[in-house]
Amino acid sequence: MKKIAVFTSGGDSPGMNACVRAVVRTGIYHNLDVYSIMYGYDGMIKGNIKKMQSHSVSNILQRGGTILKSARSTEFRTKEGRQKAFEELKKHGIDGLVAVGGDGTFTGAKIFYEEFGIPTVGCPGTIDNDIFGTDYTIGFDTAVNTALEAIDKIRDTAAAHDRIFFIEVMGRDSGYIAIECGIGGGAELVMVPETTTTIHDVVKSLKGLRKSKTSSIVVVAEGDEEGGAADIMEKVKSEFKGEDKEFKVTTLGHIQRGGSPTAKDRILGSRSGMAAVEGLINGKSNCMAGIINDQVVYTPFEECITKSKPLKEEYLRLQELLSI
């Protein structure tokens, strides 16, 4: 292997730049030519590929987002689009790929490898922490800390006015951000896609808490089965008719994706990037470089894509126990 290329795809996450930096500098350390692909699979198809030097990734470790950009590519979902991408890679003599992203990124990489055989190792870049094969994903820790800072501030105003706040965090299919924010922020309730919490349950809990608390925080993962925070608030509010209680909603949205990555995400991104390059050198392919129990583990893309990553039962119990 002489030439490799790195790209970021899907939703951006803090720490992706640390990962790209590690890929470039690890590759150069091992005497490889390292290339970047701008705008993910779309850039691969369009030949948006350039050679990187060590200085190309200077001063990016602390930056959020991704210097390589990200874009959706409907064309890559077609065999013709993937053929164009392969031809562009061959023009540059690319022997291996490092794909930084989540499920969608790894699904595309898996299909691409099966059709054209270019070795690919992935790095788990998503704030949702929903990828099987790694304890944490790049960007998750930063997203939790960003959301937690907002929740702490909302707690101040909730307490000042005796309000009940419903705070929506990201997590369409995973409640990891919500549960960690709930535990870390002292939320009275957390609603996640992995467990069923009915409106009746919420109302019962909030009315029970009124005996000891004048304000409450309910953290809602955007993918909860009862809907988003605004929908849930309206349903709950209707059960408090005639009672002097004020309800508010805050949707944190994309602020969770931005910002300077935490030390944990910078280190995780760096370790994953190094592991991906050294995995390629050692013959690894069609897999993701994750960290489990503080050790690098290579998990086949097939498992990353098809296997679910359940919430820790201890976290669910801890949230329930501490919220009384």
Side-chain angles (χ1 to χ4, degrees):
M1 187 164 293
K2 296 179 180 179
K3 297 181 179 182
I4 64 171
V6 58
F7 66 96
T8 55
S9 179
D12 62 298
S13 61
M16 276 186 166
N17 284 327
C19 186
V20 170
R21 174 179 178 267
V23 170
V24 172
R25 292 190 171 173
T26 302
I28 291 172
Y29 175 85
H30 288 289
N31 298 314
L32 300 177
D33 288 337
V34 185
Y35 291 76
S36 66
I37 302 172
M38 300 293 291
Y39 295 101
Y41 290 118
D42 191 56
M44 196 182 296
I45 290 170
K46 295 175 180 176
N48 200 339
I49 302 169
K50 67 176 182 179
K51 190 173 181 180
M52 302 289 277
Q53 306 294 339
S54 182
H55 63 78
S56 303
V57 289
S58 295
N59 200 32
I60 68 168
L61 187 66
Q62 76 280 11
R63 291 170 56 183
T66 164
I67 64 164
L68 301 187
K69 308 290 187 176
S70 186
R72 296 186 183 278
S73 178
T74 55
E75 191 175 3
F76 191 81
R77 296 179 183 178
T78 68
K79 180 66 179 290
E80 295 75 18
R82 294 190 293 272
Q83 180 68 46
K84 289 180 184 177
F86 173 71
E87 290 170 0
E88 290 296 333
L89 293 179
K90 287 295 97 182
K91 283 182 187 177
H92 290 82
I94 305 299
D95 303 308
L97 294 172
V98 176
V100 187
D103 285 349
T105 303
F106 296 161
T107 299
K110 175 179 176 290
I111 296 170
F112 194 57
Y113 172 77
E114 291 168 350
E115 291 178 344
F116 300 103
I118 294 183
T120 304
V121 176
C123 295
T126 170
I127 67 168
D128 290 334
N129 199 35
D130 59 351
I131 299 178
F132 179 86
T134 187
D135 287 338
Y136 293 101
T137 57
I138 301 164
F140 170 70
D141 187 65
T142 307
V144 168
N145 278 281
T146 297
L148 195 56
E149 183 180 357
I151 290 169
D152 286 347
K153 292 176 179 178
I154 291 169
R155 169 73 72 181
D156 291 343
T157 193
H161 295 273
D162 293 344
R163 290 169 175 164
I164 295 175
F165 266 86
F166 291 82
I167 303 173
E168 184 177 306
V169 298
M170 284 186 164
R172 187 178 57 206
D173 302 308
S174 171
Y176 263 101
I177 292 177
I179 196 69
E180 290 213 3
C181 283
I183 295 169
E188 280 65 40
L189 279 170
V190 177
M191 302 178 72
V192 295
E194 291 88 344
T195 62
T196 300
T197 305
T198 66
I199 297 300
H200 173 75
D201 295 331
V202 177
V203 172
K204 182 179 178 182
S205 294
L206 291 176
K207 288 188 175 182
L209 287 167
R210 281 186 308 172
K211 299 172 184 177
S212 58
K213 298 184 179 184
T214 58
S215 66
S216 296
I217 297 289
V218 181
V219 177
V220 181
E222 62 180 323
D224 187 77
E225 73 279 354
E226 288 286 358
D231 293 332
I232 292 170
M233 186 273 286
E234 290 297 335
K235 294 174 185 176
V236 171
K237 187 177 179 180
S238 67
E239 298 294 325
F240 280 79
K241 286 182 178 178
E243 299 189 37
D244 185 22
K245 202 66 188 174
E246 193 172 359
F247 298 84
K248 295 291 182 180
V249 174
T250 300
T251 300
L252 298 184
H254 285 77
I255 68 165
Q256 295 160 89
R257 276 205 193 159
S260 183
T262 60
K264 186 171 182 178
D265 276 328
R266 297 182 197 196
I267 294 167
L268 177 59
S270 298
R271 291 185 71 186
S272 299
M274 181 180 74
V277 174
E278 294 187 341
L280 284 171
I281 291 170
N282 293 319
K284 300 288 185 183
S285 186
N286 204 28
C287 63
M288 178 193 75
I291 308 292
I292 298 177
N293 295 328
D294 206 32
Q295 299 295 317
V296 173
V297 176
Y298 295 94
T299 302
F301 281 149
E302 179 70 26
E303 293 185 28
C304 296
I305 297 163
T306 60
K307 291 188 176 181
S308 62
K309 183 178 180 179
L311 280 182
K312 296 177 182 178
E313 288 294 329
E314 180 189 0
Y315 281 11
L316 294 169
R317 181 169 172 269
L318 187 60
Q319 168 59 37
E320 182 180 4
L321 186 151
L322 296 180
S323 64
I324 59 175

